[in-house]
Amino acid sequence: MAAAIDVRTDFDGDGLRRLARASNDGRQVRRLLVLAAIYNGGTRSEAARIGG
């Protein structure tokens, strides 16, 4: 299994969701929502489902 990657501490799930709402790019929105789920303690399976 690969080593875990640290997430940045200057972002949080709520902030990433705000950025996603402001974006007009569907691919960017999906990526931001995946990251928001991870920041909020979501599982890899949940993130994969959100990201498609």
Side-chain angles (χ1 to χ4, degrees):
M1 181 188 243
I5 299 172
D6 291 334
V7 293
R8 291 176 53 165
T9 58
D10 54 338
F11 287 107
D12 63 2
D14 292 334
L16 291 171
R17 284 188 177 83
R18 266 192 304 279
L19 290 172
R21 278 194 300 273
S23 177
N24 292 323
D25 183 347
R27 292 180 297 174
Q28 182 183 40
V29 168
R30 270 194 313 275
R31 288 190 298 268
L32 289 168
L33 291 176
V34 165
L35 288 171
I38 292 169
Y39 273 90
N40 288 335
T43 64
R44 288 173 55 183
S45 299
E46 179 184 355
R49 182 181 49 79
I50 292 168

